mmCIF file of all heavy atoms in Angstrom:
data_model
loop_
_atom_site.group_PDB
_atom_site.id
_atom_site.type_symbol
_atom_site.label_atom_id
_atom_site.label_comp_id
_atom_site.label_asym_id
_atom_site.label_seq_id
_atom_site.Cartn_x
_atom_site.Cartn_y
_atom_site.Cartn_z
ATOM 1 N N ASP A 1 81.181 105.488 98.827
ATOM 2 C CA ASP A 1 81.937 106.447 98.007
ATOM 3 C C ASP A 1 82.808 105.675 97.017
ATOM 4 O O ASP A 1 83.658 104.879 97.418
ATOM 5 C CB ASP A 1 82.847 107.318 98.890
ATOM 6 C CG ASP A 1 82.052 108.245 99.795
ATOM 7 O OD1 ASP A 1 80.848 108.464 99.517
ATOM 8 O OD2 ASP A 1 82.620 108.746 100.789
ATOM 9 N N GLY A 2 82.590 105.897 95.738
ATOM 10 C CA GLY A 2 83.366 105.221 94.707
ATOM 11 C C GLY A 2 83.012 103.760 94.498
ATOM 12 O O GLY A 2 83.690 103.055 93.753
ATOM 13 N N TRP A 3 81.952 103.275 95.147
ATOM 14 C CA TRP A 3 81.565 101.848 95.049
ATOM 15 C C TRP A 3 80.961 101.577 93.676
ATOM 16 O O TRP A 3 80.012 102.241 93.270
ATOM 17 C CB TRP A 3 80.555 101.516 96.144
ATOM 18 C CG TRP A 3 80.206 100.065 96.229
ATOM 19 C CD1 TRP A 3 79.047 99.476 95.827
ATOM 20 C CD2 TRP A 3 81.033 99.019 96.753
ATOM 21 N NE1 TRP A 3 79.092 98.128 96.068
ATOM 22 C CE2 TRP A 3 80.305 97.821 96.634
ATOM 23 C CE3 TRP A 3 82.319 98.982 97.301
ATOM 24 C CZ2 TRP A 3 80.812 96.594 97.049
ATOM 25 C CZ3 TRP A 3 82.828 97.753 97.712
ATOM 26 C CH2 TRP A 3 82.076 96.583 97.591
ATOM 27 N N ASP A 4 81.520 100.599 92.948
ATOM 28 C CA ASP A 4 81.026 100.330 91.593
ATOM 29 C C ASP A 4 81.135 98.837 91.266
ATOM 30 O O ASP A 4 81.496 98.027 92.117
ATOM 31 C CB ASP A 4 81.779 101.187 90.566
ATOM 32 C CG ASP A 4 83.290 100.977 90.623
ATOM 33 O OD1 ASP A 4 83.738 99.993 91.256
ATOM 34 O OD2 ASP A 4 84.027 101.790 90.037
ATOM 35 N N ILE A 5 80.794 98.495 90.029
ATOM 36 C CA ILE A 5 80.719 97.082 89.624
ATOM 37 C C ILE A 5 82.049 96.327 89.808
ATOM 38 O O ILE A 5 82.035 95.196 90.300
ATOM 39 C CB ILE A 5 80.178 96.953 88.173
ATOM 40 C CG1 ILE A 5 78.661 97.266 88.134
ATOM 41 C CG2 ILE A 5 80.434 95.554 87.599
ATOM 42 C CD1 ILE A 5 77.759 96.193 88.738
ATOM 43 N N PRO A 6 83.222 96.883 89.456
ATOM 44 C CA PRO A 6 84.459 96.129 89.711
ATOM 45 C C PRO A 6 84.652 95.777 91.195
ATOM 46 O O PRO A 6 85.117 94.677 91.525
ATOM 47 C CB PRO A 6 85.568 97.068 89.208
ATOM 48 C CG PRO A 6 84.889 97.907 88.171
ATOM 49 C CD PRO A 6 83.494 98.104 88.664
ATOM 50 N N ASP A 7 84.281 96.698 92.093
ATOM 51 C CA ASP A 7 84.353 96.402 93.533
ATOM 52 C C ASP A 7 83.395 95.263 93.886
ATOM 53 O O ASP A 7 83.750 94.323 94.600
ATOM 54 C CB ASP A 7 83.971 97.639 94.359
ATOM 55 C CG ASP A 7 84.822 98.860 94.027
ATOM 56 O OD1 ASP A 7 86.022 98.686 93.763
ATOM 57 O OD2 ASP A 7 84.279 99.975 94.033
ATOM 58 N N ALA A 8 82.168 95.373 93.385
ATOM 59 C CA ALA A 8 81.142 94.360 93.678
ATOM 60 C C ALA A 8 81.529 93.002 93.086
ATOM 61 O O ALA A 8 81.254 91.953 93.673
ATOM 62 C CB ALA A 8 79.788 94.825 93.134
ATOM 63 N N ASP A 9 82.181 93.007 91.904
ATOM 64 C CA ASP A 9 82.638 91.761 91.277
ATOM 65 C C ASP A 9 83.571 90.980 92.201
ATOM 66 O O ASP A 9 83.482 89.755 92.307
ATOM 67 C CB ASP A 9 83.395 92.069 89.972
ATOM 68 C CG ASP A 9 82.503 91.948 88.745
ATOM 69 O OD1 ASP A 9 81.488 91.224 88.815
ATOM 70 O OD2 ASP A 9 82.831 92.569 87.719
ATOM 71 N N VAL A 10 84.480 91.700 92.859
ATOM 72 C CA VAL A 10 85.436 91.044 93.757
ATOM 73 C C VAL A 10 84.685 90.391 94.920
ATOM 74 O O VAL A 10 84.975 89.252 95.301
ATOM 75 C CB VAL A 10 86.493 92.053 94.259
ATOM 76 C CG1 VAL A 10 87.393 91.424 95.323
ATOM 77 C CG2 VAL A 10 87.327 92.565 93.084
ATOM 78 N N VAL A 11 83.710 91.105 95.472
ATOM 79 C CA VAL A 11 82.905 90.552 96.567
ATOM 80 C C VAL A 11 82.186 89.281 96.119
ATOM 81 O O VAL A 11 82.223 88.248 96.798
ATOM 82 C CB VAL A 11 81.888 91.597 97.072
ATOM 83 C CG1 VAL A 11 80.886 90.965 98.027
ATOM 84 C CG2 VAL A 11 82.615 92.766 97.738
ATOM 85 N N CYS A 12 81.532 89.335 94.952
ATOM 86 C CA CYS A 12 80.776 88.176 94.454
ATOM 87 C C CYS A 12 81.702 86.983 94.220
ATOM 88 O O CYS A 12 81.380 85.850 94.587
ATOM 89 C CB CYS A 12 80.034 88.536 93.172
ATOM 90 S SG CYS A 12 78.673 89.715 93.423
ATOM 91 N N ARG A 13 82.859 87.236 93.627
ATOM 92 C CA ARG A 13 83.793 86.142 93.355
ATOM 93 C C ARG A 13 84.308 85.538 94.665
ATOM 94 O O ARG A 13 84.384 84.321 94.815
ATOM 95 C CB ARG A 13 84.959 86.636 92.509
ATOM 96 C CG ARG A 13 85.881 85.489 92.066
ATOM 97 C CD ARG A 13 87.084 85.927 91.269
ATOM 98 N NE ARG A 13 86.736 86.805 90.181
ATOM 99 C CZ ARG A 13 87.108 88.095 90.105
ATOM 100 N NH1 ARG A 13 87.843 88.640 91.070
ATOM 101 N NH2 ARG A 13 86.759 88.827 89.086
ATOM 102 N N GLN A 14 84.637 86.404 95.608
ATOM 103 C CA GLN A 14 85.164 85.934 96.900
ATOM 104 C C GLN A 14 84.149 85.035 97.616
ATOM 105 O O GLN A 14 84.519 84.068 98.283
ATOM 106 C CB GLN A 14 85.524 87.139 97.767
ATOM 107 C CG GLN A 14 86.345 86.810 98.997
ATOM 108 C CD GLN A 14 86.733 88.076 99.779
ATOM 109 O OE1 GLN A 14 86.678 89.183 99.246
ATOM 110 N NE2 GLN A 14 87.107 87.902 101.029
ATOM 111 N N LEU A 15 82.866 85.332 97.468
ATOM 112 C CA LEU A 15 81.813 84.560 98.126
ATOM 113 C C LEU A 15 81.304 83.396 97.271
ATOM 114 O O LEU A 15 80.336 82.741 97.620
ATOM 115 C CB LEU A 15 80.639 85.488 98.480
ATOM 116 C CG LEU A 15 80.942 86.533 99.555
ATOM 117 C CD1 LEU A 15 79.782 87.501 99.688
ATOM 118 C CD2 LEU A 15 81.246 85.880 100.890
ATOM 119 N N ARG A 16 81.958 83.176 96.117
ATOM 120 C CA ARG A 16 81.530 82.141 95.151
ATOM 121 C C ARG A 16 80.080 82.356 94.729
ATOM 122 O O ARG A 16 79.277 81.422 94.687
ATOM 123 C CB ARG A 16 81.717 80.735 95.739
ATOM 124 C CG ARG A 16 83.170 80.385 95.989
ATOM 125 C CD ARG A 16 83.355 78.902 96.258
ATOM 126 N NE ARG A 16 84.757 78.537 96.316
ATOM 127 C CZ ARG A 16 85.504 78.602 97.427
ATOM 128 N NH1 ARG A 16 84.967 79.022 98.550
ATOM 129 N NH2 ARG A 16 86.769 78.237 97.392
ATOM 130 N N CYS A 17 79.762 83.605 94.435
ATOM 131 C CA CYS A 17 78.402 83.971 94.018
ATOM 132 C C CYS A 17 78.374 84.470 92.572
ATOM 133 O O CYS A 17 77.467 85.209 92.178
ATOM 134 C CB CYS A 17 77.841 85.054 94.942
ATOM 135 S SG CYS A 17 77.339 84.435 96.568
ATOM 136 N N GLY A 18 79.382 84.086 91.772
ATOM 137 C CA GLY A 18 79.392 84.508 90.375
ATOM 138 C C GLY A 18 79.952 85.916 90.228
ATOM 139 O O GLY A 18 80.917 86.289 90.886
ATOM 140 N N HIS A 19 79.314 86.699 89.362
ATOM 141 C CA HIS A 19 79.754 88.080 89.134
ATOM 142 C C HIS A 19 78.659 89.050 89.593
ATOM 143 O O HIS A 19 77.537 88.640 89.877
ATOM 144 C CB HIS A 19 80.082 88.308 87.650
ATOM 145 C CG HIS A 19 78.902 88.127 86.757
ATOM 146 N ND1 HIS A 19 78.576 86.918 86.182
ATOM 147 C CD2 HIS A 19 77.936 89.001 86.349
ATOM 148 C CE1 HIS A 19 77.468 87.057 85.456
ATOM 149 N NE2 HIS A 19 77.054 88.306 85.545
ATOM 150 N N ALA A 20 79.016 90.326 89.661
ATOM 151 C CA ALA A 20 78.060 91.332 90.140
ATOM 152 C C ALA A 20 77.084 91.721 89.038
ATOM 153 O O ALA A 20 77.490 91.950 87.903
ATOM 154 C CB ALA A 20 78.814 92.563 90.627
ATOM 155 N N VAL A 21 75.803 91.785 89.357
ATOM 156 C CA VAL A 21 74.823 92.339 88.420
ATOM 157 C C VAL A 21 74.356 93.727 88.869
ATOM 158 O O VAL A 21 73.873 94.499 88.062
ATOM 159 C CB VAL A 21 73.606 91.402 88.193
ATOM 160 C CG1 VAL A 21 74.042 90.136 87.477
ATOM 161 C CG2 VAL A 21 72.900 91.039 89.485
ATOM 162 N N ARG A 22 74.540 94.043 90.151
ATOM 163 C CA ARG A 22 74.224 95.392 90.636
ATOM 164 C C ARG A 22 75.176 95.764 91.765
ATOM 165 O O ARG A 22 75.541 94.911 92.578
ATOM 166 C CB ARG A 22 72.785 95.481 91.164
ATOM 167 C CG ARG A 22 71.717 95.224 90.109
ATOM 168 C CD ARG A 22 70.317 95.461 90.654
ATOM 169 N NE ARG A 22 69.328 94.821 89.802
ATOM 170 C CZ ARG A 22 68.345 94.032 90.237
ATOM 171 N NH1 ARG A 22 68.200 93.798 91.524
ATOM 172 N NH2 ARG A 22 67.492 93.496 89.398
ATOM 173 N N ALA A 23 75.555 97.023 91.794
ATOM 174 C CA ALA A 23 76.350 97.561 92.906
ATOM 175 C C ALA A 23 75.561 98.728 93.486
ATOM 176 O O ALA A 23 75.375 99.742 92.814
ATOM 177 C CB ALA A 23 77.716 98.031 92.409
ATOM 178 N N HIS A 24 75.052 98.584 94.698
ATOM 179 C CA HIS A 24 74.183 99.593 95.296
ATOM 180 C C HIS A 24 74.903 100.374 96.394
ATOM 181 O O HIS A 24 75.793 99.847 97.052
ATOM 182 C CB HIS A 24 72.950 98.940 95.947
ATOM 183 C CG HIS A 24 71.975 98.371 94.977
ATOM 184 N ND1 HIS A 24 71.319 99.128 94.046
ATOM 185 C CD2 HIS A 24 71.523 97.095 94.815
ATOM 186 C CE1 HIS A 24 70.505 98.339 93.342
ATOM 187 N NE2 HIS A 24 70.615 97.100 93.785
ATOM 188 N N GLY A 25 74.479 101.598 96.604
ATOM 189 C CA GLY A 25 74.893 102.388 97.760
ATOM 190 C C GLY A 25 73.674 102.764 98.580
ATOM 191 O O GLY A 25 72.604 102.164 98.450
ATOM 192 N N ASN A 26 73.843 103.780 99.426
ATOM 193 C CA ASN A 26 72.721 104.355 100.186
ATOM 194 C C ASN A 26 71.958 103.333 101.025
ATOM 195 O O ASN A 26 70.731 103.400 101.125
ATOM 196 C CB ASN A 26 71.743 105.086 99.250
ATOM 197 C CG ASN A 26 72.421 106.226 98.509
ATOM 198 O OD1 ASN A 26 73.329 106.855 99.046
ATOM 199 N ND2 ASN A 26 72.018 106.456 97.278
ATOM 200 N N ALA A 27 72.682 102.368 101.576
ATOM 201 C CA ALA A 27 72.079 101.385 102.495
ATOM 202 C C ALA A 27 70.826 100.731 101.915
ATOM 203 O O ALA A 27 69.798 100.610 102.575
ATOM 204 C CB ALA A 27 71.758 102.045 103.848
ATOM 205 N N THR A 28 70.933 100.293 100.649
ATOM 206 C CA THR A 28 69.806 99.649 99.959
ATOM 207 C C THR A 28 69.236 98.474 100.752
ATOM 208 O O THR A 28 68.034 98.243 100.763
ATOM 209 C CB THR A 28 70.263 99.162 98.566
ATOM 210 O OG1 THR A 28 70.682 100.299 97.809
ATOM 211 C CG2 THR A 28 69.145 98.448 97.821
ATOM 212 N N PHE A 29 70.095 97.716 101.438
ATOM 213 C CA PHE A 29 69.636 96.555 102.211
ATOM 214 C C PHE A 29 69.653 96.846 103.717
ATOM 215 O O PHE A 29 69.824 95.949 104.536
ATOM 216 C CB PHE A 29 70.497 95.330 101.878
ATOM 217 C CG PHE A 29 70.287 94.834 100.473
ATOM 218 C CD1 PHE A 29 71.147 95.200 99.448
ATOM 219 C CD2 PHE A 29 69.198 94.025 100.161
ATOM 220 C CE1 PHE A 29 70.945 94.767 98.147
ATOM 221 C CE2 PHE A 29 68.979 93.582 98.862
ATOM 222 C CZ PHE A 29 69.859 93.952 97.849
ATOM 223 N N GLY A 30 69.456 98.117 104.049
ATOM 224 C CA GLY A 30 69.397 98.501 105.458
ATOM 225 C C GLY A 30 70.748 98.963 105.983
ATOM 226 O O GLY A 30 71.792 98.698 105.391
ATOM 227 N N ARG A 31 70.710 99.694 107.070
ATOM 228 C CA ARG A 31 71.932 100.222 107.670
ATOM 229 C C ARG A 31 72.587 99.172 108.552
ATOM 230 O O ARG A 31 71.913 98.493 109.324
ATOM 231 C CB ARG A 31 71.608 101.462 108.512
ATOM 232 C CG ARG A 31 71.042 102.594 107.684
ATOM 233 C CD ARG A 31 70.758 103.815 108.541
ATOM 234 N NE ARG A 31 70.100 104.851 107.733
ATOM 235 C CZ ARG A 31 70.047 106.127 108.069
ATOM 236 N NH1 ARG A 31 70.585 106.522 109.211
ATOM 237 N NH2 ARG A 31 69.449 107.003 107.288
ATOM 238 N N GLY A 32 73.906 99.075 108.423
ATOM 239 C CA GLY A 32 74.648 98.118 109.227
ATOM 240 C C GLY A 32 74.970 98.653 110.610
ATOM 241 O O GLY A 32 74.584 99.758 110.988
ATOM 242 N N GLN A 33 75.705 97.833 111.362
ATOM 243 C CA GLN A 33 76.155 98.177 112.713
ATOM 244 C C GLN A 33 77.673 98.195 112.716
ATOM 245 O O GLN A 33 78.306 97.720 111.786
ATOM 246 C CB GLN A 33 75.668 97.118 113.710
ATOM 247 C CG GLN A 33 74.172 96.865 113.675
ATOM 248 C CD GLN A 33 73.399 97.939 114.398
ATOM 249 O OE1 GLN A 33 73.800 98.382 115.461
ATOM 250 N NE2 GLN A 33 72.294 98.364 113.813
ATOM 251 N N GLY A 34 78.235 98.694 113.797
ATOM 252 C CA GLY A 34 79.678 98.584 113.976
ATOM 253 C C GLY A 34 80.444 99.611 113.167
ATOM 254 O O GLY A 34 79.877 100.547 112.604
ATOM 255 N N PRO A 35 81.776 99.426 113.080
ATOM 256 C CA PRO A 35 82.615 100.409 112.399
ATOM 257 C C PRO A 35 82.444 100.370 110.881
ATOM 258 O O PRO A 35 82.017 99.359 110.331
ATOM 259 C CB PRO A 35 84.035 99.965 112.787
ATOM 260 C CG PRO A 35 83.918 98.496 113.065
ATOM 261 C CD PRO A 35 82.549 98.295 113.633
ATOM 262 N N ILE A 36 82.778 101.481 110.241
ATOM 263 C CA ILE A 36 82.859 101.515 108.780
ATOM 264 C C ILE A 36 84.335 101.296 108.444
ATOM 265 O O ILE A 36 85.189 102.118 108.778
ATOM 266 C CB ILE A 36 82.325 102.851 108.240
ATOM 267 C CG1 ILE A 36 80.819 102.941 108.537
ATOM 268 C CG2 ILE A 36 82.588 102.966 106.736
ATOM 269 C CD1 ILE A 36 80.208 104.308 108.333
ATOM 270 N N LEU A 37 84.632 100.141 107.830
ATOM 271 C CA LEU A 37 86.017 99.670 107.734
ATOM 272 C C LEU A 37 86.728 100.066 106.445
ATOM 273 O O LEU A 37 87.951 99.988 106.367
ATOM 274 C CB LEU A 37 86.044 98.137 107.882
ATOM 275 C CG LEU A 37 85.566 97.615 109.237
ATOM 276 C CD1 LEU A 37 85.444 96.097 109.212
ATOM 277 C CD2 LEU A 37 86.513 98.052 110.350
ATOM 278 N N ARG A 38 85.984 100.454 105.410
ATOM 279 C CA ARG A 38 86.603 100.815 104.143
ATOM 280 C C ARG A 38 85.838 101.977 103.526
ATOM 281 O O ARG A 38 84.605 102.038 103.613
ATOM 282 C CB ARG A 38 86.561 99.658 103.141
ATOM 283 C CG ARG A 38 87.362 98.424 103.500
ATOM 284 C CD ARG A 38 88.832 98.611 103.194
ATOM 285 N NE ARG A 38 89.600 97.386 103.331
ATOM 286 C CZ ARG A 38 89.929 96.819 104.484
ATOM 287 N NH1 ARG A 38 89.521 97.332 105.619
ATOM 288 N NH2 ARG A 38 90.674 95.720 104.511
#
């Protein structure tokens, strides 16, 4: 909900992976486990 490129940019920078080129929802890379934290 509300997930977009500025959010993804922070993730990419934090992981030293450059900047975001795509921000996906709907479990594009499969459904995770555990709690939903944010």
